[in-house]
Amino acid sequence: MKNVDILIIGGGPAGLAAGLSAKRNGIGNVLILERDKCLGGILNQCIHNGFGLHTFKEELTGPEYADRYVTMVRDEKVPFMLSTMVCDIAVDDDGDKIVTAMNKDEGMLKIKAKAVILAMGCRERPRGALSIPGTRPAGIFSAGTAQYYVNMEGRMPGKKIVILGSGDIGLIMARRLKLEGAEVLCVAEIRPQSGGLKRNIVQCLEDFDIPLYLNTTVTKVHGKDRVSGVTLSKVDENMNPIEGTERFVECDTLLLSCGLIPENELTTAAGAQIDPKTGGPVVDGMLQCSIPGLFACGNVLHVHELVDHVSAEAEKAGAFAADYVKGR
Amino acid sequence: MSRYDVVIVGAGVTGCAIARELARGQRNIAVLEKNADICEGTSKANSGIVHAGYDAKEGTLKAKLNVRGNEMMEELSKKLDFPFRRNGSLVLCFNEEDLPKLEVLKDRGEKNGVKDIQILSPEKVWEMEPNITHDLAGALFAPTGGIVCPFVMTEAFAENAAVNGVEFYFEKKVTSIEKSHEGFKVICGDEIFEAKAVINAAGVYADEIHNMVSDKKIKIVPRRGQYNLLDKKCGDFVDKTIFQLPSKLGKGILVTPTVHGNLLVGPTAEDLDDKSDTETTAEGMSKVFKEAALSTPDINKKMVITSFSGLRAHLDDASGKSDFNIGELSEAPGFFDVAGIESPGLSAAPAIGKFVADMVNRSFPVPNKTGFVETRVGIPNMANAGDDEREALIRRNPQFANVICRCEFVTEGEIVEAINRPVGAKTLDGIKRRTRAGMGRCQSGFCQPKVLEILERELGTDRGNICKAGKDSKILEGYTKEDSL
Ligand SMILES: Cc1cc2nc3c(=O)[nH]c(=O)nc-3n(C[C@H](O)[C@H](O)[C@H](O)COP(=O)(O)OP(=O)(O)OC[C@H]3O[C@@H](n4cnc5c(N)ncnc54)[C@H](O)[C@@H]3O)c2cc1C
């Protein structure tokens, strides 16, 4: 079994900043585990700009922002392992964490850590939680998946697009798809106001004449093999569709951008308490979960608006974890 | 023209179970399926219940084949390696005055040969199932009831049939059947399959296939059932399958765990005209929850991860018997109907396979094959494997360390196997049914691009050609910037 002082789960912006901070605070024996083939997390597919104004006092794209941290991690020799999936976190009798992970070269590996920092990020709220009636054809994507196809693979998820939900990824994708040659018909938002940043509404919708329909939702998906359209309906103040307001919009793609939720399967399985409001673990002032020595930062804790805030919080988590290790 | 001894129309659980049984004999068999994969019809959208057998009227084929299928299920699930659990079932009775109806069910069950059924007091029921309503008069308990994975069960029959020589053809829609000297010409557009015997296992379309050879027309009415599937977080909300005694409100909604640990509620019952209408509706989805709340008031609606619907192949016959319609047609000897296979068709499938094979053997006897392969080993399952087993799998093939679907913990190794096995997956939905990648709470949001990439590599085709299910359901629509200049 490998022994480390601080193990960091996740190599996105939170994990990278936490690892750097732990090391800068005097704990050299740290290790970042990342399931993907490269560091940087979701930032790698966020090729738009608007990152780093607080941290670096300049506007960067997602990959650029990630690269700054990856470079620091390499320069300061913070150890990391890629393509390594953490499957389980357990706590032994001494309070040490036993983390089970797997990868192609080493098979199953067990790592003993004095402290663990959770930095697994978040994922998109799925369609199921929305339960839209109708058919189940091809052409329904989460905005993040569409972003992956377009930005990472140069492929189009469709040509005539309706977006449900005005979360930031949805807004950004409205603009991106339009720039890539798709027809973006509208963004429908069930609430009376958008959850996205004002800046994104202006720069991604208004500047491109993409209508935003508030108090509106998709009440039916049409099409047997591929999406052929959606029914939009107005909703009342309780978000229930108002009869008689239905309107058919022909399209071949429905993107869902209904917000993000912290990814806490591991945290829950480890037995840490979860805050039902944020979907993240309950933490104290030291960013420590209900299990001593288990810290959390970034979007796994709660969904942050800006990556700069994630990095700042992760820096603190790294320092707190370092203090914890020194104190033991 | 291709020549076979037997052509089976339809690769649902019925067709695949029959194919496997017939493959014991020395004969050439083809299965023709109009969809791109097995298990694309009713067999993919049902409750997944292995009924105990007290529902069907005594003396019917439904009763006989259900009870027999239930008895065969355990051993078969081991031989063919598909998920099955005998979790038991309860039929809840909410009113004192309906209690005699429970007695009727019990009596019928006993006549049908269902073992160990008993009527329980409300207290006993709450002891077993604390989440059940306190407005309860009693319940029928059938310990032999079970749950099964309908996808993997169908896959298991199909794979084992293929290993034993059965040939599967996809995207072959039977458009007409003509009698010939050899037997029948089964025509799929411009392709002809000649066969001595034809087996009609076409599910909701079995009337169309039947009517191609017979003047005694039959009619199947698709009866839709809608479901909500809930997150694994509430998979242990109940342990047994919870039915309701049919009442003024309808046939009742069931609440059951699935073999994979989700919670399933449904189905509705709506007669339709369109045999491809598997839409869900807002009314259906709310009705399911409203009625489920009679059994389990605390069910958490917010935990829905998806909803779906399936079509029962309900035989519309004047007699009102509504039994399975299985038999060789006197007006077309060599043509066997396996029609009206609505519930409990899944439970009965192993027995239907045997029953139909016996019938075909009587009319077309052939010696048994030597070397029939009885067993099948399924795709390894990393999610359920212990650390040692995981280690061994990764050593065998490092792709088992690459997790593709996070929600269900499905690895590249499993997906590659699903593609490269006999009757392998070629579509996203095919991968999903065989491995559960995309079946979890994010419903393929994260893993879809990765699954496409694997399909592209293994099938040697561009990912732009890969479909969700049928050939018109491509996932991607060309390249970026194609239309922007
Ligand atoms: C809502 C619902 C709930 C149910 N719950 C249960 C349950 O809990 N337990 C249980 O035991 N049973 C249950 N059933 C019943 C069970 O699902 C069915 O009895 C069973 O799946 C039928 O299988 P099949 O192979 O006969 O039909 P299908 O699975 O529909 O297969 C028929 C196949 O034939 C193909 N086909 C049709 N026409 C042609 C053509 N012209 N050419 C080529 N191919 C063709 C179709 O594409 C299809 O793949 C339920 C059914 C429904 C709808």
Side-chain angles (χ1 to χ4, degrees), chain A residues 115-196:
Chain A
V116 167
I117 302 177
L118 305 171
M120 292 92 76
C122 60
R123 59 181 160 74
E124 294 184 278
R125 220 177 271 281
R127 176 199 183 194
L130 308 158
S131 317
I132 308 167
T135 51
R136 297 277 170 281
I140 304 174
F141 304 86
S142 75
T145 303
Q147 189 179 44
Y148 183 90
Y149 283 129
V150 172
N151 292 354
M152 309 299 278
E153 301 192 331
R155 302 275 184 154
M156 293 297 277
K159 295 282 159 89
K160 279 183 99 169
I161 293 160
V162 168
I163 302 179
L164 174 61
S166 60
D168 286 310
I169 311 179
L171 300 177
I172 302 258
M173 282 315 291
R175 173 177 63 186
R176 169 65 42 213
L177 285 162
K178 186 108 178 188
L179 289 171
E180 300 295 353
E183 215 180 316
V184 181
L185 301 162
C186 64
V187 176
E189 168 59 61
I190 192 166
R191 286 173 301 178
Q193 75 289 322
S194 165

Side-chain angles (χ1 to χ4, degrees), chain B residues 9-15 32-35 37 39-51 172-175 201-206 208-209 212 223-227 254 267-268 310-313 324 338 341-348:
Chain B
V9 185
V13 71
T14 306
L32 308 183
E33 168 56 54
K34 74 180 166 76
N35 287 308
D37 196 2
C39 206
E40 277 283 354
T42 302
S43 302
K44 78 169 174 189
N46 52 62
S47 316
I49 308 297
V50 176
H51 292 282
K172 293 282 175 287
K173 179 176 176 179
V174 175
T175 45
V204 285
Y205 298 94
E208 291 177 14
I209 303 293
M212 288 174 188
R223 184 171 283 176
R224 183 168 67 190
Q226 303 188 39
Y227 294 88
L254 67 86
T268 57
L311 301 173
R312 305 170 183 86
F324 292 159
V338 191
I341 310 299
E342 55 185 341
S343 191
L346 194 65
S347 321

Side-chain angles (χ1 to χ4, degrees), chain B residues 222-414:
Chain B
R223 184 171 283 176
R224 183 168 67 190
Q226 303 188 39
Y227 294 88
N228 286 314
L229 184 73
L230 277 63
D231 196 282
K232 285 186 172 171
K233 283 180 192 152
C234 29
D236 57 3
F237 183 67
V238 292
D239 175 61
K240 313 219 159 357
T241 299
I242 314 297
F243 295 99
Q244 302 168 342
L245 201 58
S247 71
K248 294 173 281 273
L249 283 165
K251 279 194 73 181
I253 291 294
L254 67 86
V255 179
T256 185
T258 69
V259 271
H260 300 289
N262 294 87
L263 191 72
L264 183 66
V265 284
T268 57
E270 310 149 62
D271 285 350
L272 307 176
D273 298 322
D274 180 355
K275 288 180 174 173
S276 63
D277 183 357
T278 51
E279 283 183 9
T280 55
T281 62
E283 301 78 53
M285 284 148 72
S286 69
K287 180 183 159 82
V288 161
F289 271 127
K290 204 166 129 217
E291 290 187 25
L294 296 174
S295 302
T296 51
D298 299 329
I299 195 159
N300 188 349
K301 293 185 205 173
K302 292 215 176 96
M303 285 290 170
V304 175
I305 60 169
T306 188
S307 49
F308 62 89
S309 75
L311 301 173
R312 305 170 183 86
H314 182 68
L315 205 56
D316 184 23
D317 63 340
S319 71
K321 228 172 44 181
S322 84
D323 198 3
F324 292 159
N325 179 358
I326 304 178
E328 187 170 2
L329 300 190
S330 55
E331 65 274 29
F335 186 98
F336 297 81
D337 262 336
V338 191
I341 310 299
E342 55 185 341
S343 191
L346 194 65
S347 321
I352 293 177
K354 184 113 201 349
F355 186 73
V356 174
D358 288 346
M359 213 180 283
V360 175
N361 284 334
R362 278 193 297 275
S363 301
F364 300 89
V366 291
N368 269 344
K369 233 180 233 154
T370 49
F372 177 80
V373 182
E374 279 281 341
T375 58
R376 157 195 182 263
V377 179
I379 300 170
N381 185 319
M382 282 292 274
N384 295 342
D387 282 355
D388 290 345
E389 207 181 322
R390 284 183 180 176
E391 173 82 28
L393 282 166
I394 297 169
R395 293 286 168 228
R396 194 183 95 197
N397 173 2
Q399 289 171 328
F400 280 102
N402 184 16
V403 176
I404 301 294
C405 167
R406 295 183 212 160
C407 300
E408 295 290 314
F409 204 83
V410 182
T411 65
E412 184 179 358
E414 289 155 87

Side-chain angles (χ1 to χ4, degrees), chain B residues 210-221:
Chain B
H210 167 101
N211 296 343
M212 288 174 188
V213 297
S214 171
D215 288 330
K216 296 181 193 151
K217 303 296 177 199
I218 62 170
K219 181 165 189 262
I220 286 172
V221 180

Side-chain angles (χ1 to χ4, degrees), chain A residues 77-95:
Chain A
K77 303 207 165 38
V78 180
F80 59 86
M81 283 170 78
L82 299 175
S83 303
T84 302
M85 178 84 179
V86 172
C87 315
D88 185 56
I89 309 167
V91 184
D92 72 8
D93 295 342
D94 305 327

Side-chain angles (χ1 to χ4, degrees), chain A residues 35 103 106 108 110 126 128 134 136 145 149 153-156 159 180 220 224-226 263 265, chain B residues 276 279-280 305 307 387 391 395 406 441 445 448 462-463 468 474-475 477-482:
Chain A
R35 66 182 152 214
N103 67 27
E106 288 162 87
M108 302 302 294
K110 297 250 181 217
R136 297 277 170 281
T145 303
Y149 283 129
E153 301 192 331
R155 302 275 184 154
M156 293 297 277
K159 295 282 159 89
E180 300 295 353
K220 189 168 172 185
K224 288 219 158 99
D225 294 308
R226 175 86 196 183
E263 183 157 329
E265 277 74 12
Chain B
S276 63
E279 283 183 9
T280 55
I305 60 169
S307 49
D387 282 355
E391 173 82 28
R395 293 286 168 228
R406 295 183 212 160
R441 61 180 67 111
Q448 191 195 69
D462 184 83
R463 70 191 67 177
K468 180 175 186 284
K474 292 201 176 71
I475 305 294
E477 295 273 333
Y479 293 84
T480 51
K481 304 240 163 33
E482 263 178 350

